[in-house]
Amino acid sequence: MASLCQNLRKGTVSLSSLVFIFVLWQLCVRFSMSSRFAMAVPSSLVKTDIDVQNSTVLEDFPKRIWTTGPLSPMRIKKEDADRVRTWMDLNMEYRYELLTDGSAETYVKDHFPHHSKIRQTYLSLSDFIMRADLIRYLALLQDGGVYNDLDVGCLRPIDLWIPPAFKDNTSVVLGIEVDNEMGPEKSKLFELVNWTIMSRRNAPFMRFLVDRVIGNLEKDAAAHNTTLANLQPKRQEVIDVTGPAALTEATFQYLSEKTQTTVNMHNFTKMRRPKLVADILVLPINAFGAGHQVQWSGTDEDGSALVHHYFAGSWKTTHFDGPTEEEKKAEEAKKNEEARKKQEEEDRKRKEEENTKRREDEDRKKKEEEERKKKEEQDRQKKAEEERTKIKEQYEKKLAEEDRKKKAETSNQQIAIENQPTTQSHDADEGQGKGQEQGQPSPQGDQDQQNGQQQDGEEKEDGAEEQDNGQEEKHGINESEQPAQARQAEQAREDKSNAKPVNAKEKVSLSVLEQERRRAIEEFNGVNAVRTKTREEAIKKMQADRERDVEERKKDEQNKKKLAEVEKRKAKLRQQQAPVQNVQPASVQG
């Protein structure tokens, strides 16, 4: 070895020496990898050296996702389409393959032309759930990848499912569905999952499983003395012949043959970490079976779940052979849950009806209150108008009465003055009369003229209209005595010596009447102003209430518009979430 190192430094190494160095290096690397792998496999499993000896480095897992569906992708339910989208979103490099009933037959014919037994068995089989079990095994055998039922959602990317220490030596990945050793009943029930399986192409176990399932189908048809086309299995038959029980028994038999030991449920029960036996990696129950109601496996939220099975399949109702105790409990729990939801829905509807009725009552009361206030305001305005009219009429009547009294008093005074007897001699009257006839003025005549002018001035102060009305009333009152009064007036005008002017007392009485008239007008105007102010305040309050109602209605309309926009966005999002359409098994990039 020392000489070899010296030759390397000198650059004189032969070709045989280089080959020897390369082989030695490969042996060291493989020994180192085998040692690390042996330490990663749990000691509770079969012997580590047997597992490593029967493990071989295989090609990578194909990046394909398989599932089976109804007659057409257009018939996929929205919730199933949402679960399909979880696989495509978390595994963008994988292509999604949907096998319908029609495309599955085409797939078998195209990919198994030289396997007449496989082709004949699948095409002859009439039971749809057995066909769905068999086609998943055939697709994984031929092309590899990951199979999942349509009601299974992906929680973590597929590339993170296999721990790095196991990846190079794993050809098939399986999960646990039921492990009653972990529960209180201790019923020794253990089954592997067949709603999710991961496999490489042409994996030995998948070929072994297909042969085992075909043999089970032939035995079951013979037991019923019928053909595969006429076979009508019950639910437990499906589970035992092609379903999870068949997968579990095939796994135990395959691993027992590969390891030359007895492998059964005791090798996998109460698992907390992945275990690799030969080329099959079995994951703990939380990986593929989290949330199942019968295995006490924990929940999706603890981080160990890789997928979630929603149990939306309806095949059990078509393959009915009586419910188990667990199914009865599950059905009872389901009924209780439905009853609870129904009661909650009824309570919600009742509350909505009560709220609607309460709002209607409030709106009705509010409307009635507004109408009442409006009517009260109208009545108040009407009453105020009537009071103003009444006061005005009373005031006008009072003024008319005062004017009538004033005119009557003035007329009576005038008549009394005109009818007053003369105190001077007839000669003087004649002299004065003659003097007046000749155009000579007399002192008494001048005084009468001044008194007449003074009286005329005072009558002008009362108004020309009142003077005319007074004169008319005077003439109306004294119409019956007009001839005698005319003669007396004529005589008084001839001798004005005894005529007297309107005294100061009469003038004061006229001034007092005018003041009372003005004061009554001022009182009426004051009362009217107060009533007008009160009415204006009431109108302002009504306007404020109306503006507040308008603002509230605007806010309600804005809230309704916002709710309508939210509903539109939700509808748009639902339209964008279109179901997956894939009729043929042609590849579709995820």
Side-chain angles (χ1 to χ4, degrees), residues 59 261 440:
E59 64 180 10
T261 60
Q440 296 179 358

Side-chain angles (χ1 to χ4, degrees), residues 316-571:
K316 292 183 179 181
T317 60
T318 60
H319 298 75
F320 185 73
D321 53 353
T324 62
E325 291 296 327
E326 294 174 352
E327 291 171 344
K328 289 179 181 179
K329 293 179 181 179
E331 185 66 22
E332 184 178 357
K334 183 178 179 181
K335 289 181 180 179
N336 294 335
E337 181 66 16
E338 290 176 353
R340 184 185 62 81
K341 290 182 179 179
K342 184 178 180 181
Q343 184 64 32
E344 290 179 353
E345 182 67 17
E346 291 177 354
D347 294 340
R348 185 185 64 80
K349 289 181 179 180
R350 189 182 69 256
K351 289 181 180 179
E352 287 181 355
E353 292 176 354
E354 291 176 354
N355 293 333
T356 302
K357 186 176 180 181
R358 179 177 55 80
R359 287 193 295 268
E360 290 177 352
D361 292 340
E362 290 178 354
D363 294 339
R364 179 177 54 78
K365 291 179 180 179
K366 186 176 180 181
K367 188 175 180 180
E368 291 177 354
E369 182 67 17
E370 291 177 353
E371 292 178 353
R372 185 185 62 79
K373 290 181 179 179
K374 184 177 179 181
K375 186 176 180 181
E376 288 180 354
E377 179 64 20
Q378 292 176 352
D379 294 342
R380 188 188 65 79
Q381 293 178 1
K382 184 177 179 181
K383 187 175 180 181
E385 186 68 23
E386 291 176 352
E387 289 179 357
R388 285 195 296 271
T389 303
K390 185 177 180 180
I391 292 173
K392 184 176 180 181
E393 291 176 353
Q394 292 176 354
Y395 177 71
E396 290 177 353
K397 186 176 181 181
K398 182 178 180 181
L399 289 179
E401 182 68 20
E402 291 177 354
D403 290 340
R404 188 183 64 77
K405 291 179 179 180
K406 177 182 174 183
K407 290 177 182 179
E409 185 179 357
T410 304
S411 177
N412 293 332
Q413 291 176 358
Q414 184 68 27
I415 292 170
I417 292 172
E418 291 177 352
N419 295 332
Q420 186 176 5
T422 59
T423 56
Q424 295 181 1
S425 64
H426 182 68
D427 295 337
D429 292 337
E430 289 180 354
Q432 291 177 359
K434 291 178 179 180
Q436 290 176 357
E437 291 176 356
Q438 292 175 0
Q440 296 179 358
S442 63
Q444 185 67 32
D446 294 339
Q447 186 177 2
D448 292 339
Q449 186 176 3
Q450 292 177 1
N451 292 335
Q453 291 177 356
Q454 184 178 3
Q455 184 176 1
D456 293 339
E458 291 176 354
E459 290 176 355
K460 288 180 180 179
E461 290 178 0
D462 294 335
E465 184 177 356
E466 294 180 358
Q467 182 178 359
D468 294 337
N469 293 333
Q471 291 297 330
E472 291 175 358
E473 185 177 359
K474 180 185 73 175
H475 290 304
I477 295 171
N478 300 318
E479 185 177 2
S480 60
E481 300 176 357
Q482 187 172 359
Q485 292 178 359
R487 288 192 300 271
Q488 293 176 2
E490 185 67 22
Q491 185 178 359
R493 281 193 296 271
E494 290 176 355
D495 52 347
K496 298 274 185 178
S497 59
N498 295 327
K500 292 182 180 180
V502 179
N503 54 23
K505 183 178 181 180
E506 294 172 352
K507 187 175 181 181
V508 170
S509 64
L510 294 175
S511 178
V512 169
L513 289 173
E514 181 64 22
Q515 291 177 1
E516 290 180 354
R517 176 174 175 273
R518 290 178 180 177
R519 184 169 61 255
I521 292 173
E522 291 176 357
E523 290 177 357
F524 174 77
N525 292 335
V527 172
N528 193 21
V530 171
R531 295 181 183 277
T532 303
K533 183 177 180 181
T534 304
R535 180 169 176 260
E536 290 177 353
E537 290 177 354
I539 291 173
K540 288 181 180 179
K541 185 177 180 182
M542 288 179 64
Q543 291 177 350
D545 293 339
R546 290 172 182 171
E547 291 176 357
R548 185 169 62 255
D549 293 339
V550 170
E551 292 294 330
E552 291 178 355
R553 285 196 294 270
K554 287 183 179 179
K555 290 181 180 180
D556 293 339
E557 291 176 357
Q558 292 176 357
N559 293 334
K560 289 179 180 178
K561 289 181 180 180
K562 290 181 180 179
L563 290 175
E565 291 176 358
V566 171
E567 293 296 331
K568 288 181 180 179
R569 288 197 294 271
K570 288 183 179 179

Side-chain angles (χ1 to χ4, degrees), residues 152-384:
V152 176
C154 185
L155 300 180
R156 297 187 66 189
I158 296 173
D159 293 340
L160 302 179
W161 287 9
I162 304 176
F166 301 134
K167 191 169 185 180
D168 293 338
N169 298 285
T170 300
S171 63
V172 176
V173 179
L174 301 176
I176 300 173
E177 177 182 2
V178 179
D179 183 6
N180 277 4
E181 283 288 335
M182 299 180 67
E185 296 181 0
K186 306 293 184 181
S187 60
K188 305 295 183 183
L189 177 61
F190 182 92
E191 279 185 357
L192 298 174
V193 168
N194 83 327
W195 60 64
T196 300
I197 303 173
M198 185 175 183
S199 175
R200 300 181 191 268
R201 293 181 68 252
N202 296 318
F205 171 71
M206 296 310 302
R207 188 174 298 277
F208 180 86
L209 177 61
V210 168
D211 292 339
R212 177 70 177 260
V213 169
I214 291 176
N216 291 344
L217 288 170
E218 292 175 347
K219 291 178 182 179
D220 192 50
H224 289 282
N225 194 20
T226 185
T227 62
L228 293 177
N230 297 323
L231 185 62
Q232 296 180 355
K234 295 182 179 180
R235 182 170 58 184
Q236 192 58 43
E237 254 183 280
V238 174
I239 295 173
D240 294 338
V241 175
T242 61
L247 173 64
T248 304
E249 292 299 326
T251 302
F252 292 161
Q253 185 176 355
Y254 174 81
L255 293 179
S256 296
E257 293 178 2
K258 292 287 288 185
T259 59
Q260 297 299 314
T261 60
T262 300
V263 178
N264 53 32
M265 63 173 291
H266 298 292
N267 298 100
F268 303 102
T269 188
K270 299 182 181 180
M271 278 177 48
R272 296 297 182 185
R273 291 179 297 176
K275 290 186 179 181
L276 178 66
V277 181
D279 60 338
I280 296 179
L281 179 66
V282 180
L283 302 178
I285 193 169
N286 285 14
F288 290 169
H292 193 346
Q293 64 268 26
V294 295
Q295 79 252 353
W296 308 278
S297 60
T299 62
D300 298 345
E301 289 78 11
D302 62 5
S304 60
L306 305 180
V307 301
H308 184 89
H309 189 202
Y310 291 90
F311 296 94
S314 59
W315 72 271
K316 292 183 179 181
T317 60
T318 60
H319 298 75
F320 185 73
D321 53 353
T324 62
E325 291 296 327
E326 294 174 352
E327 291 171 344
K328 289 179 181 179
K329 293 179 181 179
E331 185 66 22
E332 184 178 357
K334 183 178 179 181
K335 289 181 180 179
N336 294 335
E337 181 66 16
E338 290 176 353
R340 184 185 62 81
K341 290 182 179 179
K342 184 178 180 181
Q343 184 64 32
E344 290 179 353
E345 182 67 17
E346 291 177 354
D347 294 340
R348 185 185 64 80
K349 289 181 179 180
R350 189 182 69 256
K351 289 181 180 179
E352 287 181 355
E353 292 176 354
E354 291 176 354
N355 293 333
T356 302
K357 186 176 180 181
R358 179 177 55 80
R359 287 193 295 268
E360 290 177 352
D361 292 340
E362 290 178 354
D363 294 339
R364 179 177 54 78
K365 291 179 180 179
K366 186 176 180 181
K367 188 175 180 180
E368 291 177 354
E369 182 67 17
E370 291 177 353
E371 292 178 353
R372 185 185 62 79
K373 290 181 179 179
K374 184 177 179 181
K375 186 176 180 181
E376 288 180 354
E377 179 64 20
Q378 292 176 352
D379 294 342
R380 188 188 65 79
Q381 293 178 1
K382 184 177 179 181
K383 187 175 180 181

